[in-house]
Amino acid sequence: MPEVSFEFFPAKTDEKAASLLRVAQRLTAYEPRFMSVTYGAGGSSRDRTLETLRQMSDRVSTPLAGHLTCVNASRGEVDDVARAYWDIGVKHIVALRGDAPVAKGAPATPYVPHPEGYSYAADLVAGLKKIAPFEISVAAYPETHPEAESAQSDIDHLKEKFDAGADRAITQFFFDPENFLRFRDRAVKAGITKPIVPGILPIGRASQAWRFAKMCGASVPEELKSLFDGVDELAPIRSRLSAVVTDRICQRLKAEGVDHFHFYTLNQSAPTSTLCTLLGRERSHALVENAA
């Protein structure tokens, strides 16, 4: 039975924060390997990320991970956040280069390292290892990072992150499992032996999913677009269709030996719960009762 892990983003209101905690408690019943909380562009959600992790640590027994980026911060500022994670019991960091914050409607701007900060994720990983014995996950891109010089240079950068001390990579989401499998083969050929965990996005509203894909450079197969055409406002059909399509991706990967799936939950429990069940993850009744 494969392992699972879940990703959340910090809520912006008290009401949504309470909802997020309820979702986390429900999903704890699937006994995930860890739950992570994202960190906004340029550290814009730093305080909310820390507060979310504090609240979750009081409500769930699952190991927690906090995201951390290099953007717009000195090494000292980044190190302080890492120490704050450690002090609240978060021993796992998802270490990312990060992207520059962009105003709504404005074009994306190129990443520029902070003059006194960590330049790239590999530098951040090495720095974190000097602070405390963190478990560290990093990012990987099955379809190549949009700013990479080439697919091979992207693999080389991933290897640098592992060489610096990363324990695993979690990929950007994708909609064609063959993209992940080809990427994994290239990584192995490059000498990468540590786990590469596929990031899975349960498709909610197709328009939202396709927009996310465009932002991060993930391709959307034309047959998938056609399949979801016109169903965004038909919730029952949309949810069933999403479960079938996303499970098909997971089952293909599982057949090829993938034994850990990382779900981008979008702070919702039902889609991820469905996929965990289809993967054979049994719910812990004791944890369900404790979350009730």
Side-chain angles (χ1 to χ4, degrees):
M1 180 173 58
E3 287 191 316
V4 294
S5 53
F6 307 133
E7 181 171 302
F8 305 92
F9 58 84
K12 294 183 179 180
T13 67
D14 290 343
E15 182 181 0
K16 289 183 177 179
S19 174
L20 187 158
L21 290 174
R22 289 193 294 271
V23 168
Q25 287 178 297
R26 293 188 195 108
L27 291 177
T28 296
Y30 293 97
E31 299 184 88
R33 171 72 179 75
F34 61 87
M35 294 179 172
S36 69
V37 179
T38 64
Y39 193 79
S44 57
S45 69
R46 181 184 65 185
D47 293 341
R48 287 187 285 112
T49 297
L50 280 165
E51 182 57 27
T52 298
L53 287 165
R54 285 193 191 96
Q55 293 176 357
M56 289 175 69
S57 67
D58 291 337
R59 304 288 185 90
V60 302
S61 57
T62 300
L64 301 175
H67 288 218
L68 189 55
T69 72
C70 306
V71 178
N72 288 355
S74 68
R75 288 184 178 228
E77 291 169 326
V78 172
D79 291 352
D80 285 345
V81 176
R83 293 188 184 98
Y85 282 156
W86 189 269
D87 289 344
I88 63 173
V90 175
K91 316 296 187 182
H92 181 175
I93 289 179
V94 181
L96 310 164
R97 188 203 73 177
D99 297 313
V102 179
K104 188 174 182 180
T109 56
Y111 169 77
V112 177
H114 188 286
E116 298 175 1
Y118 293 106
S119 295
Y120 296 98
D123 305 315
L124 176 57
V125 171
L128 292 173
K129 286 295 186 181
K130 294 177 182 178
I131 294 172
F134 284 107
E135 179 178 351
I136 298 179
S137 296
V138 294
Y141 301 85
E143 299 176 79
T144 305
H145 191 283
E147 296 176 25
E149 294 178 4
S150 67
Q152 184 56 50
S153 69
D154 202 33
I155 290 284
D156 293 341
H157 288 313
L158 176 60
K159 191 172 188 303
E160 289 172 2
K161 290 186 276 189
F162 279 123
D163 290 344
D167 297 286
R168 76 177 56 76
I170 301 170
T171 77
Q172 180 57 265
F173 67 84
F174 50 89
F175 297 116
D176 183 347
E178 304 309 315
N179 287 333
F180 173 86
L181 296 172
R182 286 190 291 267
F183 173 76
R184 187 179 67 173
D185 288 345
R186 294 199 306 273
V188 170
K189 187 176 180 180
I192 293 172
T193 58
K194 290 185 179 178
I196 298 179
V197 180
I200 304 297
L201 177 71
I203 301 171
R205 287 184 174 274
S207 55
Q208 181 188 51
W210 308 161
R211 185 170 67 253
F212 288 162
K214 184 177 181 179
M215 290 168 58
C216 67
S219 62
V220 183
E222 287 302 320
E223 59 268 31
L224 195 60
K225 290 182 181 178
S226 297
L227 195 61
F228 278 87
D229 186 33
V231 303
D232 263 4
E233 304 306 321
L234 306 173
I237 296 174
R238 187 183 72 232
S239 62
R240 289 175 175 82
L241 192 58
S242 174
V244 170
V245 167
T246 312
D247 179 59
R248 193 174 294 166
I249 294 171
C250 293
Q251 295 300 336
R252 169 69 177 129
L253 298 177
K254 184 179 176 184
E256 291 293 332
V258 170
D259 58 5
H260 183 171
F261 295 85
H262 184 74
F263 290 103
Y264 298 108
T265 69
L266 302 184
N267 292 7
Q268 299 175 27
S269 62
T272 298
S273 295
T274 299
L275 292 167
C276 286
T277 300
L278 290 168
L279 280 170
R281 295 291 305 182
E282 295 183 0
R283 301 170 77 225
S284 166
H285 294 297
L287 291 171
V288 171
E289 291 170 2
N290 290 338

